[in-house]
Amino acid sequence: MPRPRRALHVTAAVLLALTAGATVADLARPGLADPLRGAVAQVTTPVQSVLSGWDDARVARLTQERNALAAEVTRLEEQLRRQRQLEDLDRATSWGDHRLLPARVVAYAPGTSPVGGRTVTLDVGSEDGVAEDQTVVSVDGLVGRVVRVAARSSDVLLLGDPGVVVGVRFGPEGGLGSVGAVPTPGLPPREHGELTLTVAGDTPVAVGDDVTTLGSPDDRPYVARVPLGTVTSVDPDRGQLGRTAVVRPHVDPDVLDLVAVVFVDRGRR
Amino acid sequence: MSALPGAAVRALLLVAAVLLPSAWPAGLPRADLVVLVVAAAALMRGPTTGLLVGLAGGWLLDLVPPGAEPLGATALAYALVGVLLGLARRYAAASPLLPWLATGAASALLLGVRGVVAAAGVGRVAPAELLWSWVATLLVSVVALPLLLLVERRLVERRWA
């Protein structure tokens, strides 16, 4: 039977060519065949679901329940952790009349941006009452101040940014000074994260002195008496105007998680 | 006398081969049932039939969810396998073991193509998964291939194909 076989060969060749054409078309225009796929799926999916659904419906239900419970456990554990952190924060901040708004750090400024301060983003904003120039603290001490506020988020300029200089008191006598990230020229190099304390008066500074914030008028941008760091070494006297020392801040800005924005409710309530 | 019943039976077998893996227990390696249907047809009827059945099976695999990208690539691969198996038809009668070996080789070829394409950076595949899929295909074909060949033989006897 030569004729049917010939017809078969021709059919095979044509279909093969059509298939190759379809492949090329699908490669050139992905998604062109989506209506076709959708139509096939409409026909075959019921069959597939019947075929794959032969097992006990109870297993599916129990699996669903188990997954929901596991998610609930994760949520509660997170809540517990947050609660513990909040308790610590409340205990640690015994430095004045204040109200704390807990906030979570949700974003860091990328270290690769060409010009960038050290900023982080918090998940509270003007809808929560946050305004610019409010102090931000964590369990350990001063974090920074709010520089930008959006409706649901706010950006915090961290202590350690080159532009940040904080007025401080240090030592048992409460000597005045300022702490900044950029040391005045001529001082020994600082390690990563270390700050420079410049003494304003003649107060002697010693290793181990606690450094706390001095406070600003109206408590903006920094409220008073927030722990900031510890003096780790005193620079040699080389004729600079004020004595200088190295301060190791209490807060490691690289591992910030739960922080709080400080509200000072003076005169109100 | 007509070839229509044979084509209908093969189409039915292909649809079943594409849809049945849904009933396979999750976690077990999936056997390739389509290549068995293609192999049975090609080993009984020759390269042209092998090509056509391979094309049809590949199109089904391409279209039936979850489907494959790009459309038609699976069809071409199965068509190639169908032609190769059809060329092996004359040796298939020598021993009942030979169809099984040929099918194993065809399955290995398909999985190998997939592995090479993944190695070239298109798609992703685990080598162990491929190997287990091949083993499962071999195991299933021990039972399924003789049955499919029997069906093909019946079709020939009744001059339906």
Side-chain angles (χ1 to χ4, degrees):
Chain A
M1 39 178 182
R3 280 183 71 84
R5 285 221 68 80
R6 202 182 144 87
L8 200 63
H9 285 315
V10 172
T11 314
V14 167
L15 288 179
L16 195 64
L18 283 179
T19 305
T23 308
V24 172
D26 196 53
L27 280 173
R29 279 278 173 84
L32 203 65
D34 280 355
L36 182 60
R37 286 180 192 274
V40 174
Q42 204 151 21
V43 177
T44 54
T45 310
V47 184
Q48 285 176 318
S49 65
V50 167
L51 281 172
S52 60
W54 55 270
D55 64 348
D56 210 346
R58 218 171 128 249
V59 175
R61 195 167 48 75
L62 287 176
T63 309
Q64 216 168 352
E65 263 175 35
R66 183 201 62 188
N67 290 351
L69 287 175
E72 179 74 5
V73 166
T74 313
R75 197 180 65 78
L76 289 176
E77 272 175 355
E78 169 61 20
Q79 226 172 39
L80 199 66
R81 206 165 67 82
R82 194 184 160 96
Q83 182 65 34
R84 227 174 277 139
Q85 281 181 324
L86 279 176
E87 270 171 18
D88 287 348
L89 191 63
D90 217 30
R91 213 175 300 133
T93 50
S94 54
W95 29 257
D97 187 17
H98 59 262
R99 187 164 61 84
L100 296 176
L101 174 66
R104 199 165 282 282
V105 173
V106 292
Y108 282 79
T112 50
S113 56
V115 183
R118 293 174 61 92
T119 51
V120 295
T121 303
L122 306 182
D123 61 352
V124 294
S126 58
E127 282 184 7
D128 307 282
V130 178
E132 271 180 36
D133 280 343
Q134 276 186 306
T135 313
V136 178
V137 299
S138 77
V139 177
D140 303 316
L142 184 68
V143 171
R145 65 183 162 93
V146 178
V147 285
R148 273 184 300 274
V149 182
R152 309 290 294 275
S153 72
S154 50
D155 296 343
V156 176
L157 190 63
L158 298 177
L159 187 70
D161 181 272
V164 171
V165 176
V166 186
V168 294
R169 288 184 184 278
F170 62 90
E173 297 176 35
L176 298 178
S178 63
V179 165
V182 183
T184 47
L187 292 179
R190 308 297 195 218
E191 276 176 37
H192 172 75
E194 284 182 341
L195 307 173
T196 301
L197 165 70
T198 307
V199 180
D202 282 338
T203 323
V205 56
V207 172
D209 280 356
D210 283 328
V211 180
T212 60
T213 56
L214 174 64
S216 320
D218 232 7
D219 282 325
R220 279 168 182 251
Y222 298 110
V223 297
R225 296 193 299 283
V226 180
L228 188 151
T230 317
V231 174
T232 52
S233 75
V234 179
D235 293 321
D237 192 351
R238 283 184 187 155
Q240 60 264 46
L241 282 173
R243 300 295 308 273
T244 55
V246 178
V247 173
R248 162 74 51 187
H250 293 312
V251 176
D252 182 359
D254 297 334
V255 293
L256 281 176
D257 183 14
L258 188 85
V259 298
V261 182
V262 180
F263 285 79
V264 181
D265 297 329
R266 191 176 298 146
R268 273 171 284 161
R269 265 200 309 152
Chain B
M1 289 304 245
S2 156
L4 219 57
V9 168
R10 289 195 192 109
L12 214 63
L13 285 174
L14 282 177
V15 169
V18 171
L19 291 180
L20 272 180
S22 294
W24 203 256
L28 284 183
R30 298 280 169 96
D32 183 0
L33 302 179
V34 176
V35 80
L36 303 185
V37 179
V38 175
L43 288 171
M44 290 303 292
R45 304 285 303 161
T48 313
T49 308
L51 187 148
L52 285 170
V53 176
L55 269 187
W59 269 103
L60 281 176
L61 284 177
D62 268 336
L63 285 174
V64 171
E69 293 271 348
L71 196 66
T74 317
L76 291 176
Y78 275 83
L80 171 72
V81 162
V83 169
L84 291 179
L85 283 168
L87 292 176
R89 169 170 66 144
R90 66 184 64 176
Y91 312 107
S95 153
L97 205 61
L98 279 175
W100 185 67
L101 288 178
T103 308
S107 175
L109 178 66
L110 284 171
L111 296 170
V113 166
R114 170 124 199 225
V116 167
V117 168
V122 184
R124 198 196 64 83
V125 83
E129 205 178 306
L130 285 185
L131 189 66
W132 280 116
S133 171
W134 185 63
V135 170
T137 307
L138 279 184
L139 288 179
V140 171
S141 68
V142 169
V143 180
L145 194 61
L147 290 176
L148 288 167
L149 285 171
L150 194 68
V151 169
E152 287 287 337
R153 207 165 286 136
R154 282 284 152 77
L155 289 176
V156 172
E157 279 167 9
R158 298 189 182 182
R159 304 176 65 87
W160 270 2

